[in-house]
């Protein structure tokens, strides 16, 4: 039986993301500088995102690496990050592309009445104190037939933090008509290294 601790979202440690922005892309799965890692993420996004040009809301976009992949695949992207330094790097990375980068809270993105075809989030939901409430709000940002693409996980063995796939699927069930979980831990090329923790993506259509 899984311990209760893995079924609660631990409060993420407070981080100075402005201070971390300069080195953020040094991680293989952040900067996607390695051609194989970049190609692996591009292939996943191609499978997860619509096959036609769509409006994608990338929440907690960091330096914009996934946003750039989505734009290169023909989508229109709005990225949101609470760190001004991260947002500035994302704007530089996406300059000249069909993308807008906003500085704001991923939990309540500053997009007004705009609606999107995709809410794309990687390793952000677990840091938020009320994931169920946040998912309901994000659901309201999707057009009919839109989809969530959520990449999350559980990190650490002794004191695990994150959201198990089963819990995230359960939170999405009342909000969506289908939920598909794709396990990613065994795909080391995505991370630039071998990993032994739980990493996954959930694609859920509303």
């Amino acid at each position: 039986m899984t311990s209760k601790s893995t079924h609660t979202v631990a409060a993420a440690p407070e981080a100075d993301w402005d201070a971390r922005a300069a080195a953020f892309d040094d991680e293989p799965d952040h900067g996607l500088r390695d051609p194989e890692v970049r190609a692996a993420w591009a292939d996943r996004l191609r499978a997860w995102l619509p096959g036609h040009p769509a409006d994608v809301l990338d929440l907690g976009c960091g330096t914009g690496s996934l946003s750039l992949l989505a734009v290169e695949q023909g989508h229109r992207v709005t990225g949101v990050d609470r760190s001004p330094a991260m947002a500035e790097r994302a704007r530089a990375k996406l300059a000249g592309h069909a993308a807008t980068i906003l500085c704001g809270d991923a939990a309540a993105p500053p997009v007004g009445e705009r609606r999107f075809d995709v809410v794309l989030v990687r390793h952000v939901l677990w840091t938020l104190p009320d994931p169920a409430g946040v998912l309901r709000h994000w659901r309201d940002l999707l057009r009919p037939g839109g989809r969530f693409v959520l990449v999350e996980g559980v990190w650490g063995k002794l004191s695990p933090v994150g959201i198990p796939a089963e819990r995230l699927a359960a939170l999405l069930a009342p909000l969506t008509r289908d939920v598909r979980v794709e396990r990613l831990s065994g795909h080391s090329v995505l991370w630039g290294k071998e990993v032994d923790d739980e990493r996954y993506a959930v694609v859920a259509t509303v």
Side-chain angles (χ1 to χ4, degrees):
M1 180 177 294
T2 306
S3 66
K4 183 179 179 182
S5 63
T6 63
H7 288 272
T8 60
V9 181
E14 193 63 32
D16 185 346
W17 292 110
D18 283 336
R20 295 186 182 187
F24 187 77
D25 279 355
D26 292 345
E27 287 293 321
D29 59 314
H30 291 170
L32 308 184
R33 291 167 174 162
D34 182 290
E36 288 190 24
V37 176
R38 193 176 196 278
W41 279 103
D43 287 345
R44 295 289 171 166
L45 278 190
R46 194 171 289 109
W48 297 334
L49 299 180
H52 55 81
D55 293 311
V56 177
L57 180 60
D58 183 4
L59 297 175
C61 67
T63 60
S65 294
L66 291 188
S67 290
L68 180 58
L69 291 183
V71 165
E72 290 175 345
Q73 294 178 12
H75 303 293
R76 301 169 295 272
V77 175
T78 299
V80 177
D81 202 279
R82 67 183 299 181
S83 161
M86 291 283 194
E88 188 58 36
R89 280 168 170 75
R91 289 188 188 104
K93 191 176 289 186
L94 286 143
H97 293 282
T100 301
I101 304 298
L102 306 173
C103 193
D105 186 357
V111 295
E113 297 301 312
R114 290 189 61 196
R115 295 296 177 264
F116 299 85
D117 302 302
V118 180
V119 168
L120 170 65
V121 187
R122 181 172 68 170
H123 298 167
V124 173
L125 185 63
W126 77 274
T127 71
L128 305 176
D130 179 19
V134 168
L135 288 171
R136 288 193 297 272
H137 180 60
W138 291 349
R139 166 65 182 80
D140 291 339
L141 300 177
L142 285 169
R143 296 179 178 129
R147 69 183 72 176
F148 289 100
V149 177
L150 308 176
V151 181
E152 289 292 338
V154 177
W155 298 270
K157 299 297 183 184
L158 296 178
S159 299
V161 295
I163 303 179
E166 291 77 9
R167 181 170 185 231
L168 181 50
L171 291 174
L172 286 167
L175 308 175
T176 60
R177 70 167 184 252
D178 68 277
V179 179
R180 176 169 59 86
V181 176
E182 187 171 328
R183 302 289 177 175
L184 302 177
S185 299
H187 301 277
S188 59
V189 67
L190 291 169
W191 317 109
K193 59 186 178 182
E194 297 289 338
V195 299
D196 60 1
D197 44 28
E198 181 183 6
R199 304 191 188 194
Y200 63 90
V202 171
V203 179
T205 304
V206 302

